[in-house]
Amino acid sequence: EAQVTQNPRYLITVTGKKLTVTCSQNMNHEYMSWYRQDPGLGLRQIYYSMNVEVTDKGDVPEGYKVSRKEKRNFPLILESPSPNQTSLYFCASSYGRVVTYNEQFFGPGTRLTVL
Amino acid sequence: QQPVQSPQAVILREGEDAVINCSSSKALYSVHWYRQKHGEAPVFLMILLKGGEQKGHEKISASFNEKKQQSSLYLTASQLSYSGTYFCGTVDIRDNYGQNFVFGPGTRLSVLP
């Protein structure tokens, strides 16, 4: 089944404790992206990747890191989480490098709480 | 810059119609529409491209006015299953290269029996 998977689905952590949220897709998509969703603010892009080893900042990259060493995986790293990073996170992927013309497939989401 | 959506929320009875609007201050190469049900991930509805091409959901219609940088989503004869939050989105092409995707704030649609 074609899908985007994220792990973990739920995470409660404490300020400053490094964490990684994994994202994997099995559709051979080149474009991958991370979004955070907060009430009243909609979906905001954190980082995106147009291909292996090619990543770029979205609208809210501060406090996050990403890497794209393999085509199928795009982990999101919070080196020193803070309470303002409490949010619902979605990973998405899209065919081709140019998302302008292609739909995005979303993972199920990861609900992160930072205490 | 985030697209603007209107209305923020709308309540319908089954069978009624609704229009959701999306506009941008920047030139648009395409407009994407997604629907998100409570507690779920966004799901693709359609893409409208410059030149009139459309890709997506057969039962949903939309328009794209490139000159006005606006798009509208038309939901006709609404069903209970249409309830959810609708997002438009577009690509903010920076320096003629980037693919930063920006969503609008969303329109919450509630369809009542």
Side-chain angles (χ1 to χ4, degrees):
Chain A
E1 180 189 356
Q3 59 183 349
V4 179
T5 57
Q6 294 179 229
N7 282 293
R9 294 289 312 280
Y10 302 91
L11 180 60
I12 300 174
T13 189
V14 295
T15 299
K17 186 176 181 181
K18 181 179 179 179
L19 67 92
T20 299
V21 184
T22 64
C23 173
S24 183
Q25 50 91 7
N26 62 359
M27 295 170 279
N28 203 35
H29 286 170
E30 295 190 62
Y31 186 95
M32 296 187 74
S33 178
W34 277 102
Y35 298 91
R36 61 177 290 173
Q37 185 171 31
D38 304 290
L41 297 176
L43 291 145
R44 294 178 294 168
Q45 192 176 53
I46 303 170
Y47 271 96
Y48 67 93
S49 170
M50 295 168 67
N51 204 350
V52 175
E53 303 292 0
V54 179
T55 63
D56 204 352
K57 297 177 180 178
D59 291 322
V60 287
E62 295 78 19
Y64 304 94
K65 285 177 61 176
V66 293
S67 67
R68 187 93 181 272
K69 293 182 169 46
E70 304 169 282
K71 197 171 189 179
R72 63 184 294 128
N73 297 322
F74 191 44
L76 179 70
I77 302 159
L78 285 73
E79 298 242 335
S80 184
S82 62
N84 64 12
Q85 292 179 298
T86 292
S87 187
L88 178 60
Y89 292 86
F90 287 103
C91 179
S93 72
S94 180
Y95 175 78
R97 301 182 183 184
V98 180
V99 73
T100 303
Y101 308 115
N102 298 295
E103 68 181 282
Q104 294 183 75
F105 295 82
F106 282 80
T110 295
R111 187 165 291 281
L112 173 66
T113 302
V114 184
L115 303 175
Chain B
Q1 189 166 354
Q2 188 180 46
V4 176
Q5 287 185 236
S6 64
Q8 287 186 329
V10 59
I11 300 175
L12 300 173
R13 294 282 182 186
E14 260 188 301
E16 293 181 339
D17 302 338
V19 179
I20 300 173
N21 302 301
C22 176
S23 64
S24 175
S25 59
K26 290 191 170 185
L28 298 173
Y29 293 86
S30 66
V31 177
H32 300 217
W33 287 96
Y34 289 81
R35 177 172 60 210
Q36 184 180 30
K37 294 185 177 289
H38 183 69
E40 299 180 6
V43 174
F44 169 76
L45 293 176
M46 66 190 320
I47 295 174
L48 300 111
L49 305 171
K50 289 180 73 170
E53 184 180 350
Q54 297 185 4
K55 296 165 60 174
H57 209 296
E58 292 180 359
K59 293 187 177 181
I60 290 180
S61 64
S63 64
F64 179 24
N65 188 320
E66 300 165 28
K67 287 185 178 179
K68 291 186 176 181
Q69 295 156 195
Q70 295 174 345
S71 176
S72 294
L73 188 70
Y74 304 98
L75 302 166
T76 57
S78 58
Q79 305 171 18
L80 295 176
S81 62
Y82 287 9
S83 292
T85 301
Y86 289 77
F87 295 96
C88 69
T90 187
V91 173
D92 181 12
I93 298 178
R94 302 168 181 167
D95 304 321
N96 295 317
Y97 173 76
Q99 288 286 305
N100 171 214
F101 197 86
V102 185
F103 282 98
T107 296
R108 181 172 293 183
L109 178 73
S110 301
V111 181
L112 305 178

